[in-house]
Every structure is written in structure tokens, then in C-alpha cells.
Amino acid sequence: MATSGSLIIRTLPGVLSRVASVGSGPYQDYYNVYDYAVAGVPFLGSISPDSPLTRSSAQFRKDQFDSAAEPGEQSLSGWWLRSQSSWHLGTGIVNSDVRLDETAEFRFADAEGVNPWTPGQLTLLRYPYLQQPTTGPTLCLGVEVGGLNYVLYTDGNKLGMYGEVLGDYYSITWGGSGTIQSITTDGKNWYASAADGIYWGALGGTTGSKLWTISAARVICRWVKGRIMAAVDSALYELVPPVGSAPYSLPTTPTYTHPVSSYAWTDIADGPEAIYAIGYYGTESSVLKLALTTTGAVPALSAATTAAELPRNELGMSLYSYLGAFMCMGTNRGVRIALIREGGNLEYGPLIETPNPVRDFVAQDHYVWATYTGAFVDGGSGLIRIDLSAPLPNGRYPWAKDLRVSSSNEVTGVTTLGTSDRLAIGVDGSGLYFEDGSDVEESGWFQTGRIRYNTLWPKLFKQFNIKAQLLGPVSIASIDASGNEYQLASVSTDNRTHDDLPINYPSGPQEYISLKFTLSRSALDSSKSPIFRGYQVKALPGGPRPRQYVIPLRCYDQEITEDGQRTGYVGFGLERLEAIERADSAGEVVLFEDLRRGTAVPVTIEQIEYRQSAPPQGAGSVWGGVLTVALRTVN
């Protein structure tokens, strides 16, 4: 032991181990000498009034340059914002991130009982009421008789007509006794098929008679291209309209018979240049095209060719053409919209999935409605609406759930009530439903996509506001990642704007939430619906905030601790400086250890600065300076 004045210097029994490889793990301070370690490299602190150690909150939101042509939410500071003011591109999104899906700005996750199709607003749909109960298969077809609107409908083996005027109903003695399998019209007469043939009668009359006798398990008739086409099991027949005094030219042989005897034709429709039939056997399904010649008073059918094949296990159930441009195909899995190309071939797009087969379609303006069975949240049945005017980038057409009936039975028919804009729905064993002319649903709702601001980082969802004309109350709920629903507010005062309502649930940081808005009609006027115009959600980043440390460290060859221990060797300071420089260049996550407190946190090295106030004085002299490191915690 050596004495120097009153200072006692105690030399370590051996040279401390050399610098460990960068990032090799925690530093093992066997002699309890050092204050800190960065990336496994030990240091004594060099803290003084002129060079203090600082701990501060690190910047966690970057400043960004807004280069958008128009101002918007991206140009605002402070809150993270998400707004929406139109829903006219329909349902089907999961996340409401416009950066991932440019259509998300105008879409939603799910809805029932609401009409989103007017850009800039959302209202309740009109209410479908039960016009006539039924006990059997219920088909329906809109017709006009004497300037009045009617629906021709079936109830198993019964046929009748219901008008839009209350109480305007009459039954038709159609001539048969079996279950009616299909109905169609040429605008003057009605036609109905059963297992024993096809029947007909005049629209407006109360009786009918058999037109054509045949026996088969399945007989479907459709009026297309100025004739009746009949699908009889695997064969297609053509009934040519009157020539001279003959009522109809009745076929004795099929126009086309599928080579597979078990093939089942399910529907027939027409296009600009051909007649189409859809059917299936086993797991295979296709659409057949029967082209027309242009000679003669009634163009004749020519050879049959395949216009489209459906994917394996997707079976065709219904067919509906519209405007000479679109062919709607209903299958056991949903709806496909096809374009009718030159030559009559069909080019179909992605599937709009439904849980049950689609049996029928009807169209008005640029919308087509398809049957939708047992797929509403409460298990009810009804319709979906598809917008044919604006295909999405993926080729699918915008769609949403539409009218909803109080039954979960299979929807087998949909039509318009004559030439009106009101719809009629046929539900097997339940009834014929009419869309009301003015009254709206008691309530309806829509749910937004996941509001996540295009990042998985947790958020604190704090406030929301809505814009609406409150002709009826609107309630708002939040839905968390587990599907739990929390009621947030209910507003009924018509302020048009309800600002900064709190989001109390879910509490704490969340990856995302969804909002569910429920609209209710006016208690004073059943024809009045709230007009919902928009919402905005405000959130803040909610994850652990990063910390920043700025620490001055001694980086000399030889150093003396506070208790007088001497440590180091020639070259020790440069070794540690170069080790930290390597860690800084690598950019990896390293450990910052406070060896006195026994804590360690993962960090990245943001900046290093080495200051040497005097050069070494000859070979073997002590070398070193002060190393200042800026560290940022990694959460």
C-alpha cells in the first residue's frame, strides 16, 4: 500500500478485463468500479455543472411536410384525426385506412336498415311490411294492368295478384294443382310452370289454362327474346309465339340437351345477341349461350356454346340481364356481376359472398337487388343492393345490405311493385312483403371500419363529434378489438353538430376501435329519418413514450473512481471510444446500464460526441477525454 500525502491509492489486484464485444450482453462489473455501461462497454460518469446528465421525453411524433394539393386532416397538428362524410361505396372494409384502400373514405364495415347510397348522407331505409302471409314457396313478379301496379305472386300451388292500392287483391285459378316452380310475363299474359307443364292466362283475368304438357322434376319458364324458353331438367325447349291462328308452336324435341343427363338448368335470361341458361351438375356449373340468327320474322336459335364457366363448387342458381350490358349471376355462394362482351361472351368479376344461395334479382336505375337469406345480425332475411355505376378498383361492385324482413326463411323472389320504385319480396313459407311508400325503419345502424390511423402503434381514443340533422335520435357506441360494445352517447337535440363528445371506453391504449351509429326514426312522424352527415374521431399516440438520455462519460486510459480505485491501462480509452463508434455505426439496439442502481434498458445511440481538451504528452502517456452519448429508449 502506498501513501501520497493524505490520499490513499488502492491498486486493483489485476488488470480489469478488456472491452467486451459490442452488444454482447450486460457488463459484468465484478469489482463494483464503474457507473454506467453502454453496449457492454463500461464508463465512469463525468457529470459536472458544465456537463450535466439529462433525462427527457424524446420526440415521438415526427414533423412532416404536407405536400397534398388540398388541405385536410394531414395538415393539422396535435390530434390524430379520422373523419368520414360519405358512405356511397358500400360495405366490406376491415380497416378504415385510406392509405391501404383508397375507397375506405367512402365505405363502412357493416350496416343494416340504412341507406348509404346518397353521397354525403346516410338515412333509414323504407320499411317492408307483410302484405300477405304464405305457407309455401313464394315467387313474385311486378306487372302493370290497366295503368295500375300489381305483383303476381305464388303461395305453393296458389297464384294471385296484389295491387299497390290497399285491399286490391284477387286470386287466379291457374289451371293446375301442383307447386308452381316459376312465373314470367310477356307484358300481356302471365305464364307459370309446374312439374306437369306450362300454364298461361291474361293479366287482369282470374283464370288460366295449360299451354304445354310435359312431365319433369324441374320446369322453369322465362319470356326472352319474343318467345318462351323452358328449362326441363337437362333440356332446353323453345315455344315460338303465335303464327296465324295457332296459339303457340309447341316443341316436340329439345332445342338443346346437355350431354350430362343429370344436369339441372336453373334459370334463363336474354342478352343483346343471345339467350343464356345457367345450370349445374355435381361440382361443375356454367352459363350456356344460344345465339340468334337475324333472318325471319322471329330470329331463330343457332348453336349452343359456353359463355362462362363458374369456379369449381360454385353452382349457378339464378340469372338476370340488365340494360343489355350486365348479366347478374346468383350462385350457391353469392353474386357475380358479368359484362356482356361482343359476341355474347360473359366476363364476370369477383364474388360478393352470401351465406346462402341467391335466388332472384331485380334492377332499377343503376342498382340491382339480390335476395339475401338469413344473413342479417338477428338471422333475418332480405335483400342486398349493388351499385352498377361505380366498380371498385378490385373489380367488385359496391354493395350493402338493404331491405330486411322479419323472417329468417329463404327469400325466393324480389321484384318492383309494377312500374313504381317500391320493392316486393317473396319469402318462402312466410309471405309477400311490400316496401312502404313513406314510412321508414324504426331503427338502423352502421359500423365503421377499424380506426387505426394506418399503424399498429397503440392510441388513446379521446373524443368524437358528429354532424347530423336529428329528425330522430342517434346513439353512438365504441367497439374494441375483442368485439365488446360500449355505449358512448345518445343525441337527439338538433344542433346539427355535436362537438367533442368523450370516448370513455375502451379505456387505455388501443390498437384500434370501431364506432357504431344507430339511427332511430322520429317519434312524431314515422316517415322522418335522421340525416347523418359525418363523424370525426380524435386520438393521441398511446404507447409508452420514449426517453432520451444525454450522459457525459469519462473515456481515459487510466481513471480513478470516487473511492480511490485506479483502473485502466494504456489504450483503454481508445478501445472504448472505438467500441462505442462501432455500436453507433451499426445502429443496433444495445443496453444502457446504470450499474449503481442495477437497471438496464434497451436503447439506440442517437449521437456521440468525444472531446479531448489536450493532446497526449509523448509515448506511453495517458490518453483520453470526455465522451457524451445521446441515447433513446426502445419500447
Side-chain angles (χ1 to χ4, degrees):
M1 183 176 295
T3 303
S4 176
S6 61
L7 178 64
I8 300 175
I9 304 297
R10 180 163 54 89
T11 305
L12 292 175
V15 178
L16 292 178
S17 61
R18 301 266 173 176
V19 175
S21 60
V22 172
S24 60
Y27 176 73
Q28 300 297 323
D29 191 16
Y30 296 111
Y31 300 104
N32 196 28
V33 172
Y34 293 103
D35 298 326
Y36 307 102
V38 179
V41 182
F43 294 96
L44 293 170
S46 184
I47 301 168
S48 69
D50 295 329
S51 56
L53 181 152
T54 63
R55 294 174 57 160
S56 61
S57 298
Q59 182 179 1
F60 62 96
R61 283 185 289 183
K62 69 176 183 178
D63 297 325
Q64 64 182 48
F65 172 70
D66 178 15
S67 60
E70 298 292 335
E73 291 177 344
Q74 74 282 351
S75 64
L76 304 175
S77 61
W79 292 105
W80 282 3
L81 303 175
R82 164 63 177 157
S83 299
Q84 191 172 13
S85 57
S86 192
W87 302 267
H88 61 277
L89 292 185
T91 190
I93 63 169
V94 176
N95 298 313
S96 59
D97 297 329
V98 177
R99 189 178 299 177
L100 297 178
D101 181 352
E102 62 185 18
T103 70
E105 183 178 1
F106 307 115
R107 299 176 69 194
F108 49 90
D110 198 7
E112 291 183 10
V114 296
N115 180 357
W117 298 107
T118 301
Q121 70 176 47
L122 187 145
T123 58
L124 291 170
L125 288 164
R126 290 189 298 202
Y127 173 70
Y129 60 89
L130 180 60
Q131 176 68 42
Q132 173 64 34
T134 61
T135 58
T138 307
L139 309 174
C140 54
L141 181 65
V143 296
E144 184 184 24
V145 180
L148 298 177
N149 293 318
Y150 287 87
V151 171
L152 178 72
Y153 84 102
T154 71
D155 179 2
N157 62 355
K158 300 174 184 177
L159 186 66
M161 295 270 281
Y162 253 108
E164 63 180 333
V165 178
L166 186 65
D168 188 3
Y169 163 79
Y170 60 91
S171 64
I172 299 172
T173 306
W174 57 283
S177 58
T179 298
I180 299 173
Q181 298 185 6
S182 68
I183 52 177
T184 190
T185 181
D186 59 9
K188 180 180 178 181
N189 303 297
W190 57 260
Y191 303 87
S193 68
D196 62 345
I198 295 176
Y199 296 79
W200 73 332
L203 287 174
T206 58
T207 60
S209 60
K210 180 176 279 190
L211 173 65
W212 183 50
T213 299
I214 196 166
S215 177
R218 183 197 302 265
V219 179
I220 305 296
C221 67
R222 294 286 184 258
W223 176 264
V224 289
K225 291 295 185 186
R227 73 202 69 208
I228 294 175
M229 291 296 298
V232 181
D233 290 340
S234 63
L236 297 174
Y237 291 84
E238 177 187 12
L239 283 70
V240 180
V243 178
S245 60
Y248 252 86
S249 177
L250 301 178
T252 57
T253 58
T255 302
Y256 175 81
T257 301
H258 199 279
V260 177
S261 60
S262 60
Y263 200 90
W265 296 109
T266 53
D267 209 350
I268 304 169
D270 57 2
E273 303 176 36
I275 292 174
Y276 298 86
I278 194 169
Y280 67 90
Y281 71 95
T283 60
E284 308 297 326
S285 187
S286 62
V287 180
L288 186 78
K289 174 184 65 176
L290 294 165
L292 296 170
T293 66
T294 58
T295 60
V298 178
L301 296 176
S302 62
T305 57
T306 299
E309 291 185 354
L310 290 172
R312 187 176 177 84
N313 288 319
E314 187 174 348
L315 309 180
M317 300 291 169
S318 55
L319 208 56
Y320 182 86
S321 64
Y322 189 52
L323 299 178
F326 299 98
M327 187 66 72
C328 306
M329 297 185 289
T331 77
N332 62 326
R333 295 183 55 199
V335 176
R336 291 188 186 271
I337 304 297
L339 298 176
I340 304 175
R341 296 304 190 185
E342 186 177 354
N345 289 328
L346 302 180
E347 182 182 308
Y348 61 78
L351 181 70
I352 298 174
E353 292 190 58
T354 62
N356 291 292
V358 173
R359 302 291 185 182
D360 200 10
F361 298 93
V362 73
Q364 272 194 335
D365 192 18
H366 55 91
Y367 298 114
V368 62
W369 285 263
T371 61
Y372 194 62
T373 296
F376 287 81
V377 169
D378 61 359
S381 298
L383 306 174
I384 61 171
R385 189 191 310 197
I386 304 166
D387 185 355
L388 300 177
S389 68
L392 301 174
N394 62 3
R396 186 178 285 111
Y397 287 84
W399 71 278
K401 296 176 186 175
D402 206 77
L403 298 185
R404 172 184 55 187
V405 300
S406 57
S407 171
S408 60
N409 292 1
E410 184 173 29
V411 183
T412 47
V414 58
T415 189
T416 57
L417 209 172
T419 59
S420 75
D421 66 346
R422 297 167 60 190
L423 297 178
I425 307 170
V427 183
D428 241 8
S430 176
L432 177 66
Y433 294 79
F434 280 6
E435 179 183 10
D436 198 275
S438 59
D439 286 357
V440 298
E441 290 273 12
E442 289 187 8
S443 66
W445 57 267
F446 79 97
Q447 182 176 323
T448 70
R450 296 172 178 175
I451 301 171
R452 54 190 291 276
Y453 301 98
N454 200 40
T455 176
L456 299 179
W457 189 262
K459 303 98 189 166
L460 294 169
F461 294 93
K462 289 297 186 181
Q463 296 175 356
F464 71 96
N465 59 64
I466 68 169
K467 294 184 181 298
Q469 185 175 353
L470 294 174
L471 303 177
V474 174
S475 64
I476 306 96
S478 63
I479 301 173
D480 65 16
S482 300
N484 299 312
E485 188 172 320
Y486 308 93
Q487 191 67 27
L488 297 179
S490 182
V491 294
S492 56
T493 305
D494 198 3
N495 293 332
R496 303 297 175 97
T497 300
H498 292 260
D499 286 331
D500 297 338
L501 299 170
I503 298 177
N504 299 319
Y505 303 99
S507 58
Q510 306 288 322
E511 179 190 338
Y512 62 84
I513 64 168
S514 298
L515 293 182
K516 182 177 180 180
F517 299 90
T518 300
L519 284 62
S520 299
R521 72 186 182 191
S522 168
L524 302 177
D525 187 342
S526 57
S527 68
K528 299 297 184 184
S529 164
I531 303 174
F532 193 89
R533 300 196 185 279
Y535 69 88
Q536 183 180 75
V537 177
K538 297 180 179 181
L540 294 170
R545 301 294 174 86
R547 295 279 178 256
Q548 183 167 286
Y549 301 89
V550 179
I551 309 170
L553 304 169
R554 281 183 266 178
C555 189
Y556 295 88
D557 285 349
Q558 294 183 9
E559 298 164 355
I560 298 176
T561 67
E562 290 184 358
D563 63 357
Q565 298 186 66
R566 186 183 300 275
T567 178
Y569 48 84
V570 175
F572 187 44
L574 183 59
E575 275 187 32
R576 290 182 292 166
L577 175 61
E578 290 177 341
I580 293 300
E581 288 176 338
R582 290 194 299 273
D584 179 44
S585 298
E588 294 286 351
V589 175
V590 298
L591 277 181
F592 166 57
E593 300 171 74
D594 186 333
L595 299 173
R596 299 303 185 193
R597 296 174 57 214
T599 61
V601 292
V603 296
T604 58
I605 300 174
E606 296 286 292
Q607 185 180 22
I608 61 173
E609 181 183 61
Y610 175 76
R611 292 190 177 186
Q612 183 175 322
S613 58
Q617 302 297 316
S621 61
V622 174
W623 179 96
V626 175
L627 173 65
T628 302
V629 294
L631 308 174
R632 180 188 176 102
T633 60
V634 178
N635 298 315

